[in-house]
Amino acid sequence: MMFTAQSRSTPLSSEIQHVQIIRRKKISQICRYKSCCKVKAVIQSGNDNKTVKDANFVEKSREESNRSLLSSGKGRNVKAVVTLRKKMKEKITDKIEDQWESLMNGIGRGIMIQLISQDIDPVTKSGKFAESYVRGWLSKPSDHPYIVEYAANFTVPHDFGHPGAIIITNLLDKEIHLVQIVIHGFNEGPVFFSVNTWIHSLKDNPESRIVFQNQAYLPSQTPAGIKDLRREDLLSIRGNGKGERKLHERIYDYDVYNDLGNPDKSEDLARPLVGGKEKPYPRRCRTGRGPTKTDPLAERRIEKPHPVYVPRDETFEEIKQNTFSAGRLKALLHNLVPLIAATLSSSDIPFTNFTDIDKLYKDGVVLNDDNDQQKNKFLSETLDKVFSVSKRLLKYEIPAIIRRDRFAWLRDNEFARQALAGVNPVNIELLREFPIVSKLDPAVYGPPDSAITWDLIEQELNGMSVEEAIQDKRLFMLDYHDVLLPFIGKMNTLPGRKAYASRTLFFYTSRGVLKPIIIELSLPPTPSSPRNKRIFSHGHDATNHWIWNLAKAHVCSNDAGIHQLVNHWLRTHACMEPYIIATHRHLSSMHPIYKLLHPHMRYTLEINALARQSLINGGGVIEACFSPGRYSMEISSAAYKSMWRFDMEALPADLIRRGMAVEDTSMPLGVKLVIEDYPYAADGLLIWSAIKEYVESYVEHYYSERNSVMSDVELQGWWNEIKNKGHPDKKNEPWWPKLVTKEDLSGILTTMIWIASGQHAAINFGQYPFGGYVPNRPTLMRKLIPHEDDPSYENFILHPEYTFLSSLATQLQATKVMAVQDTLSTHSADEEYMYQLHEIQSFSVNDHEVLKIFERFCAKLKEIEDTINQRNKDNRLKNRSGAGVPPYELLLPTSGPGVTCRGIPNSISI
């Protein structure tokens, strides 16, 4: 009964077949294996009375053999307590299946278990084994209403040895969720197999599942009796790279992003393949669906509500499904009702005044009853019946950015503060050279020099020269010129989209406050305007004040797009996916590094699959609501090509690269911040330091021997595959870290865990608190800034507020993106946070010294939370305290459910 997650129709790889044939030959030497096969035949043959009699005869013979073993004093009874999780919400069919499951388990025909020893059987040269069936007419209820327990009894010889693995065969007609198995009766005490995994039905997959006990082993330390099983389990997880994946499988493999477009539905929904020489990108999890009819290189899409394949154990647990479904429902309602309202009024209208925006939080979205009262009455009645609410249901919470001060977004100091303490604090950089020069081809994009001159800067420096400001590290910049200018021409051809490539200069004053001083907005050169750049500075008259606000809005729109497509999606979600795939393919669940990383991989493949289905796909929310539109993933690919480096994803390295920190050996992490009051960096370094210390202690525990990292075949295969298959478009880059020493390993793991936890938390959970108020952080702009000779300029002079608001997203676009940001900023009820790692890992690690490492780490995080809370009360730190200023809490370790703007989950789970 070898395990593989392949379906019956999918051929196994030759390597897997070879391993399984060898094991089958070994086990077939023992008659008990034959009895197991006959019992399988009973279940599969249904009404074959002869087979039933044969199976009963074999089982009786086995029971007699066990009694003989016990009576002779050569054996002992051991008991397996099997814990399963049932559905929280059950349909009638589920309840019927539960009763059938109880019946099958009652007669011993539901779940078969083979207990495998760590010791070698001298006959088979494999681990000794004993088999039994889950029995009991009724499951034993537990303290948890959705948890049930069954028992299986074994008789094993005294020389059986220590149990190392269990082979499970699910003979039921449906999959089961196995929480854990605990074996009682051995001298050393209970043996735990905490697995929390789905076990497929025999009818879906004829091969059994292998699970290992909680003890961690390096490959070279694997007990002899379970070595073959360790290898076989890994091979089966990799699959053979062929065929379409089935939802019950757990195959991990790689593919390019060729499933974002839907050319069969519309030419407008065709999208280029992302991943390869022309458009490099990290790889995603392979689903194996066939090609579209229109484009043989594009994979056929699965549209919602149908699920996209991810390996079975990567799917949301039911609590998460319920939370996410509620969020999706909220998004659906926020999308649907404004769409109907806009359709019925024959247009998608802009905000006309700030009262329109305020109504989203006070009154909610109200349907227009003027055109079709019957349709609106039907929709309102439907909402009343289904949700017990009125048609004013669609009401948004007041975002944190205006909860304390509704005018904060207008001020320059708040605009600058958010570059250091907002939802995207990872792009600001020190201005180290002047003049500012583009790296783009001047033959295509015009003169490379920026239009920002010495004189323009010095007018804003209060008597300081540019040289002094650069030398004193007082000038900073948000530079989106080179990453966006190649796409601006195409973006501006999209309906209702107008954008510039932007540069923004900031000056750090002697009072410790950052202020914006100059904004440069560029368009692609034209024959009549080869230097198509405009310069803006904050004016002291009404006209320049409104123009300056429009320029800031364009910068915020660019910042929102880069944040979402590069810093959020690419650098955390997309780049984490290959690490997760490689971890499952190359590191056994017994491997200590697998156990270390496992909490940091939870739900990521599922949320990424959902993003490909609804968010980053052609016509999805990102394209509909952000400036880059249909060119969004191409911009993300261009950023990956020009900017992404694994070694620079480490927080200290990134801060040094951007000039926001300098090397200083006297500091704890060897870096000193250029701006002390940089909340993201200051708090982030605390979290980074704690992760680093924790990982180093863990790695030292398992890799204390010299050359143990180099000799770990699973680990070396893991790192090689991350580079060569997970990031193949960058596999030859010289900056990839080597994996030779335990220091190398600690650095790599610290970076991965930081990305999955602190980094993602810092740039994700503030999306609605900062972006939920449209003027503060518009995700797209619909108009260019008027010139004095433009026909629209006169109207701007007469109605500057209307010009500003009508340049932002429409009401429909705004409500769409607000709904998505609200969902993405929400912690689910089953969120697992970093400060809970000791509790989480105690179920999977059986090593007191390692558990102490987790315990110290969690205690350190609690200390960090106290430190951050004290910082937020420090009146000297203007970026995190003051009148109307929200405290910086995005890197506080703890949080409750909902939109809290705080909390660090272990993994990228939303």
Side-chain angles (χ1 to χ4, degrees):
M1 261 141 310
M2 305 314 100
F3 159 72
T4 178
Q6 301 284 3
S7 66
R8 294 173 185 267
S9 59
T10 305
L12 302 176
S13 71
S14 58
E15 190 174 7
I16 297 174
Q17 286 179 326
H18 177 69
V19 172
Q20 292 186 347
I21 288 169
I22 292 174
R23 250 191 98 240
R24 283 193 177 105
K25 286 181 178 178
K26 290 179 179 179
I27 294 179
S28 66
Q29 298 176 45
I30 300 181
C31 64
R32 285 177 293 180
Y33 176 73
K34 296 179 181 178
S35 74
C36 168
C37 294
K38 289 189 177 181
V39 173
K40 260 192 183 181
V42 172
I43 304 302
Q44 292 175 319
S45 62
N47 296 321
D48 189 336
N49 292 329
K50 183 178 183 301
T51 307
V52 172
K53 290 179 180 179
D54 288 345
N56 288 336
F57 173 76
V58 171
E59 189 171 352
K60 288 180 180 179
S61 299
R62 186 172 53 119
E63 290 175 354
E64 290 176 3
S65 175
N66 288 339
R67 284 195 294 269
S68 174
L69 192 64
L70 287 172
S71 62
S72 67
K74 296 181 180 179
R76 73 173 77 185
N77 284 329
V78 297
K79 180 180 180 180
V81 177
V82 180
T83 304
L84 305 180
R85 188 173 66 221
K86 305 177 77 66
K87 287 185 178 180
M88 297 171 63
K89 294 182 179 181
E90 290 192 312
K91 302 176 184 177
I92 294 178
T93 54
D94 294 324
K95 293 181 179 179
I96 294 173
E97 288 178 347
D98 286 345
Q99 292 177 354
W100 177 251
E101 176 184 325
S102 295
L103 174 63
M104 289 296 98
N105 287 327
I107 62 175
R109 295 293 184 271
I111 302 171
M112 186 182 70
I113 298 177
Q114 286 182 300
L115 189 61
I116 311 298
S117 170
Q118 294 181 353
D119 293 347
I120 289 287
D121 186 305
V123 177
T124 66
K125 307 303 181 184
S126 291
K128 300 174 183 178
F129 80 98
E131 69 178 25
S132 184
Y133 297 85
V134 164
R135 287 188 179 276
W137 287 102
L138 294 174
S139 58
K140 178 184 175 183
S142 69
D143 295 335
H144 194 289
Y146 311 111
I147 297 295
V148 294
E149 292 179 351
Y150 291 96
N153 296 309
F154 296 84
T155 300
V156 300
H158 282 298
D159 63 352
F160 182 82
H162 188 80
I166 291 175
I167 299 177
I168 304 169
T169 305
N170 175 14
L171 304 171
L172 302 166
D173 288 336
K174 66 171 186 177
E175 64 181 359
I176 57 174
H177 193 281
L178 176 63
V179 177
Q180 70 172 9
I181 298 176
V182 183
I183 309 296
H184 299 272
F186 287 95
N187 294 336
E188 55 267 44
V191 183
F192 289 87
F193 295 76
S194 298
V195 288
N196 199 31
T197 185
W198 289 95
I199 308 293
H200 58 264
S201 169
L202 187 69
K203 71 175 185 179
D204 290 327
N205 183 346
E207 304 301 336
S208 302
R209 274 290 305 276
I210 304 168
V211 297
F212 299 100
Q213 68 146 319
N214 293 0
Q215 187 68 41
Y217 293 105
L218 294 176
S220 61
Q221 299 168 345
T222 309
I226 57 175
K227 273 188 176 181
D228 287 349
L229 292 177
R230 180 171 185 152
R231 182 181 174 214
E232 183 181 331
D233 190 34
L234 280 175
L235 289 174
S236 64
I237 287 173
R238 297 173 196 171
N240 61 5
K242 299 177 182 179
E244 182 173 347
R245 298 272 62 88
K246 307 299 189 297
L247 293 179
H248 66 268
E249 296 177 339
R250 58 173 199 140
I251 300 294
Y252 294 80
D253 205 353
Y254 303 94
D255 209 341
V256 294
Y257 283 73
N258 62 347
D259 62 339
L260 302 179
N262 194 346
D264 288 349
K265 185 175 182 180
S266 168
E267 288 185 11
D268 290 337
L269 292 178
R271 295 293 180 270
L273 182 152
V274 179
K277 185 176 180 180
E278 292 186 7
K279 293 179 174 60
Y281 217 62
R283 296 307 192 253
R284 50 98 173 176
C285 186
R286 180 183 178 274
T287 62
R289 298 190 301 269
T292 62
K293 297 177 182 178
T294 309
D295 182 357
L297 297 179
E299 185 175 87
R300 185 181 69 253
R301 282 185 59 77
I302 296 291
E303 301 292 356
K304 58 184 180 181
H306 302 292
V308 176
Y309 168 81
V310 293
R312 186 64 181 97
D313 286 342
E314 304 299 327
T315 55
F316 290 162
E317 295 179 17
E318 200 168 357
I319 295 176
K320 177 71 170 183
Q321 286 178 339
N322 294 341
T323 302
F324 194 73
S325 294
R328 288 167 64 188
L329 173 63
K330 192 173 181 180
L332 172 64
L333 291 174
H334 284 92
N335 292 345
L336 177 62
V337 177
L339 178 60
I340 293 175
T343 302
L344 296 178
S345 62
S346 302
S347 65
D348 181 13
I349 59 176
F351 294 105
T352 57
N353 53 63
F354 286 96
T355 303
D356 290 341
I357 302 175
D358 293 339
K359 285 180 179 178
L360 295 173
Y361 318 111
K362 294 179 180 179
D363 302 326
V365 176
V366 182
L367 291 177
N368 183 348
D369 293 329
D370 296 337
N371 294 305
D372 194 332
Q373 295 183 2
Q374 190 66 29
K375 286 184 179 179
N376 285 305
K377 181 182 178 182
F378 171 76
L379 183 59
S380 296
E381 289 177 350
T382 301
L383 292 174
D384 280 332
K385 290 177 182 178
V386 177
F387 304 106
S388 301
V389 294
S390 71
K391 65 183 179 182
R392 296 192 174 204
L393 166 73
L394 308 182
K395 183 178 177 181
Y396 288 90
E397 297 294 327
I398 298 175
I401 191 59
I402 60 165
R403 191 179 300 144
R404 297 186 179 200
D405 181 357
R406 63 177 302 187
F407 300 110
W409 68 276
L410 269 171
R411 291 194 292 271
D412 284 354
N413 65 326
E414 178 60 25
F415 173 80
R417 189 188 76 86
Q418 289 183 34
L420 297 169
V423 70
N424 187 41
V426 298
N427 280 111
I428 189 168
E429 59 183 302
L430 181 71
L431 182 65
R432 287 172 278 197
E433 296 180 356
F434 198 84
I436 304 166
V437 179
S438 169
K439 296 178 181 178
L440 297 175
D441 184 355
V444 178
Y445 300 104
D449 288 355
S450 167
I452 301 173
T453 63
W454 293 85
D455 293 340
L456 288 170
I457 298 176
E458 288 187 345
Q459 291 174 21
E460 307 291 336
L461 298 187
N462 303 325
M464 180 179 286
S465 70
V466 173
E467 294 96 330
E468 290 173 325
I470 292 176
Q471 184 176 353
D472 291 350
K473 296 181 171 59
R474 304 281 285 278
L475 288 175
F476 298 86
M477 178 170 59
L478 280 177
D479 189 354
Y480 300 132
H481 180 275
D482 284 11
V483 71
L484 288 179
L485 190 61
F487 297 92
I488 292 295
K490 294 187 287 187
M491 288 164 54
N492 286 344
T493 64
L494 299 173
R497 307 289 170 96
K498 295 299 176 185
Y500 302 91
S502 61
R503 288 191 181 103
T504 308
L505 253 60
F506 301 87
F507 177 58
Y508 191 63
T509 69
S510 57
R511 286 175 287 185
V513 176
L514 194 68
K515 69 174 186 178
I517 57 175
I518 295 173
I519 294 174
E520 177 190 60
L521 300 180
S522 302
L523 294 172
T526 63
S528 60
S529 182
R531 193 175 178 82
N532 212 348
K533 305 175 187 293
R534 294 182 67 181
I535 297 294
F536 304 88
S537 60
H538 51 85
H540 301 286
D541 61 274
T543 300
N544 281 327
H545 174 75
W546 277 107
I547 292 287
W548 174 246
N549 283 333
L550 282 168
K552 287 195 297 181
H554 274 280
V555 173
C556 287
S557 174
N558 287 347
D559 191 71
I562 295 299
H563 162 257
Q564 199 67 265
L565 296 168
V566 179
N567 300 324
H568 181 209
W569 170 255
L570 168 64
R571 293 176 62 188
T572 63
H573 284 261
C575 285
M576 196 69 199
E577 186 151 347
Y579 311 152
I580 295 170
I581 296 171
T583 298
H584 284 283
R585 285 169 58 87
H586 281 276
L587 301 183
S588 166
S589 60
M590 286 190 288
H591 199 292
I593 302 306
Y594 176 95
K595 291 182 178 292
L596 177 75
L597 290 177
H598 189 258
H600 306 290
M601 304 188 294
R602 185 175 186 241
Y603 292 158
T604 303
L605 296 190
E606 170 84 341
I607 198 66
N608 285 4
L610 289 168
R612 299 201 313 274
Q613 192 176 38
S614 304
L615 293 180
I616 63 171
N617 60 301
V621 174
I622 300 300
E623 289 193 0
C625 301
F626 287 78
S627 286
R630 64 180 297 145
Y631 306 105
S632 293
M633 285 299 287
E634 293 183 55
I635 289 175
S636 190
S637 170
Y640 176 72
K641 181 178 182 178
S642 63
M643 298 163 50
W644 187 84
R645 294 176 47 157
F646 181 88
D647 60 331
M648 291 293 112
E649 293 303 289
L651 178 60
D654 174 61
L655 293 171
I656 291 171
R657 173 174 63 173
R658 291 189 283 120
M660 300 304 294
V662 294
E663 295 186 38
D664 186 338
T665 55
S666 67
M667 302 299 288
L669 287 172
V671 296
K672 180 180 180 181
L673 295 178
V674 170
I675 297 178
E676 180 186 355
D677 187 13
Y678 183 3
Y680 158 76
D683 295 356
L685 286 172
L686 292 178
I687 302 296
W688 172 273
S689 178
I691 296 172
K692 181 174 182 288
E693 179 182 335
Y694 146 67
V695 170
E696 287 175 346
S697 298
Y698 186 93
V699 169
E700 175 64 34
H701 180 78
Y702 286 103
Y703 291 93
S704 58
E705 299 292 330
R706 186 181 179 185
N707 297 325
S708 54
V709 170
M710 277 296 292
S711 61
D712 187 335
V713 292
E714 288 183 7
L715 190 68
Q716 293 299 325
W718 168 77
W719 186 234
N720 287 332
E721 187 164 286
I722 284 173
K723 294 181 291 184
N724 295 318
K725 289 189 175 181
H727 289 268
D729 305 324
K730 294 211 166 195
K731 64 182 179 181
N732 295 321
E733 296 288 352
W735 40 254
W736 283 104
K738 305 295 183 184
L739 183 53
V740 177
T741 66
K742 59 189 177 186
E743 289 78 18
D744 298 336
L745 177 58
S746 296
I748 290 167
L749 294 171
T750 301
T751 297
M752 289 180 178
I753 293 173
W754 161 252
I755 291 168
S757 57
Q759 179 73 348
H760 181 258
I763 60 179
N764 179 73
F765 292 105
Q767 289 194 74
Y768 185 78
F770 284 97
Y773 188 68
V774 180
N776 179 67
R777 193 168 176 78
T779 57
L780 63 80
M781 298 294 285
R782 301 193 303 128
K783 297 179 181 179
L784 297 177
I785 299 176
H787 288 269
E788 291 186 14
D789 55 354
D790 287 342
S792 60
Y793 191 80
E794 183 178 350
N795 190 55
F796 159 67
I797 295 296
L798 294 174
H799 305 286
E801 178 182 323
Y802 177 79
T803 299
F804 179 84
L805 290 174
S806 62
S807 298
L808 307 181
T810 64
Q811 294 191 35
L812 172 60
Q813 291 167 327
T815 52
K816 275 186 176 182
V817 78
M818 287 166 68
V820 172
Q821 288 174 333
D822 181 66
T823 301
L824 296 180
S825 302
T826 299
H827 291 292
S828 70
D830 74 333
E831 194 83 272
E832 293 182 351
Y833 298 95
M834 288 191 79
Y835 74 92
Q836 299 171 311
L837 264 176
H838 174 256
E839 176 186 342
I840 294 165
Q841 290 284 30
S842 66
F843 291 100
S844 61
V845 176
N846 183 25
D847 188 316
H848 293 298
E849 290 301 315
V850 173
L851 291 176
K852 287 180 182 178
I853 293 172
F854 292 126
E855 192 173 356
R856 288 197 298 270
F857 175 61
C858 296
K860 183 68 174 179
L861 290 179
K862 292 179 180 178
E863 292 177 11
I864 290 172
E865 180 147 337
D866 292 338
T867 300
I868 293 174
N869 285 329
Q870 289 301 315
R871 287 174 174 177
N872 286 332
K873 296 176 183 178
D874 190 338
N875 294 330
R876 296 170 300 170
L877 302 176
K878 305 301 181 185
N879 289 321
R880 61 201 311 158
S881 65
V885 176
Y888 187 77
E889 297 182 328
L890 283 167
L891 286 168
L892 279 176
T894 65
S895 176
V899 180
T900 63
C901 203
R902 60 180 288 170
I904 304 177
N906 286 315
S907 62
I908 300 168
S909 58
I910 189 67

